[in-house]
Amino acid sequence: MNSVGLIGGTGDLGTALAVHLAKKYEMVTIGSRNAKRAEATVKTIIEEKGTRDSLVQHLKFASNADAILTSSVVIATIPFENSVETIQNLSRFFHRGQILISAVASLSKVGDEFIIPTNSNSIAIQVKSIVPQGVEVASAFQTVPASILYKEKQILADVPVAAESFETYKKVAELVSSIDGLRPLFLGGLHHSAQVEGLTCLLLNIGKRNNLKSPTLRINCF
Ligand SMILES: NC(=O)c1ccc[n+]([C@@H]2O[C@H](COP(=O)([O-])OP(=O)(O)OC[C@H]3O[C@@H](n4cnc5c(N)ncnc54)[C@H](OP(=O)(O)O)[C@@H]3O)[C@@H](O)[C@H]2O)c1
């Protein structure tokens, strides 16, 4: 597990994850519908963060299709509305043995509040039925605020992971733990992924109503 590809990696979450994952993984490919946009994103990251080795040597850019073809782990960081259609269009580029992590949150904005669209099934479950057999699917990162991660501020956050098997969870947990301050927590099988996908909505509404910036999840035990 040494190469990570980000579908829609040019966005807020994709760039934030790329900055951290490049510290631990030899090849982190920012994917885009337009490879030129991915190239510009890599350039911007290096301009903003400086020419440190992890970024200069490990960050790559490609079309979404090439990011999938060249990666052992693929993370989908694309908007909810287009997520299933996007994966459908890219499904032929996946191959057996890969891990696909969906970071997609079930979320729409209505007026000044966020809601979970009621007519949608879990994205991860839908995606599992689309990708070729042998691609292991999980759901994670929905509770991690991209802006804090990108700024590399100190963070302490729990990352619930729903995965199709405990073996898949362990591989995803390794990737999550590679980012300082993130603690993976196993939620259970993929049938639980709707719970994870709905957490962003909860956090954003609580943040808005209570004036809390960049809310995240941290489980306390007593
Ligand atoms: N932002 C956060 O803090 C955060 C935290 C946790 C989870 N999430 C979830 O992670 C996902 C990505 O969030 P984000 O804030 O990074 O989103 P974003 O910046 O709005 O979009 C990410 C990327 O998706 C691609 N994209 C946009 N429209 C598309 C379409 N119609 N079809 C295919 N690709 C499209 C774009 O890349 P190209 O134009 O280069 O193809 C864009 O840069 C969302 O599902 C979000 O709910 C976000």
Side-chain angles (χ1 to χ4, degrees), residues 83-159:
S83 52
V84 174
E85 187 192 351
T86 301
I87 302 289
Q88 179 89 61
N89 292 337
L90 293 166
S91 64
R92 66 186 184 282
F93 301 107
F94 286 91
H95 50 85
R96 180 175 279 280
Q98 270 179 321
I99 296 179
L100 169 59
I101 304 172
S102 170
V104 177
S106 301
L107 197 66
S108 346
K109 198 159 186 203
V110 177
D112 71 340
E113 50 183 32
F114 297 92
I115 59 156
I116 299 175
T118 48
N119 56 352
S120 75
N121 292 323
S122 145
I123 297 297
I125 298 266
Q126 293 184 66
V127 158
K128 176 67 192 166
S129 70
I130 291 170
V131 292
Q133 262 200 346
V135 177
E136 301 169 48
V137 177
S139 200
F141 291 119
Q142 283 80 357
T143 52
V144 180
S147 57
I148 302 300
L149 210 56
Y150 187 76
K151 289 177 194 150
E152 298 177 272
K153 288 190 174 173
Q154 196 179 5
I155 188 167
L156 271 186
D158 287 331
V159 179

Side-chain angles (χ1 to χ4, degrees), residues 10-13 32-33 37 77-79 82 86 103-105 141 144 146:
T10 52
D12 292 342
L13 186 62
S32 169
R33 289 168 292 177
R37 199 153 46 237
T77 55
I78 40 180
N82 321 103
T86 301
V104 177
F141 291 119
V144 180

Side-chain angles (χ1 to χ4, degrees), residues 10-26:
T10 52
D12 292 342
L13 186 62
T15 49
L17 289 173
V19 165
H20 288 270
L21 294 173
K23 296 171 191 167
K24 303 280 166 66
Y25 291 87
E26 281 169 17

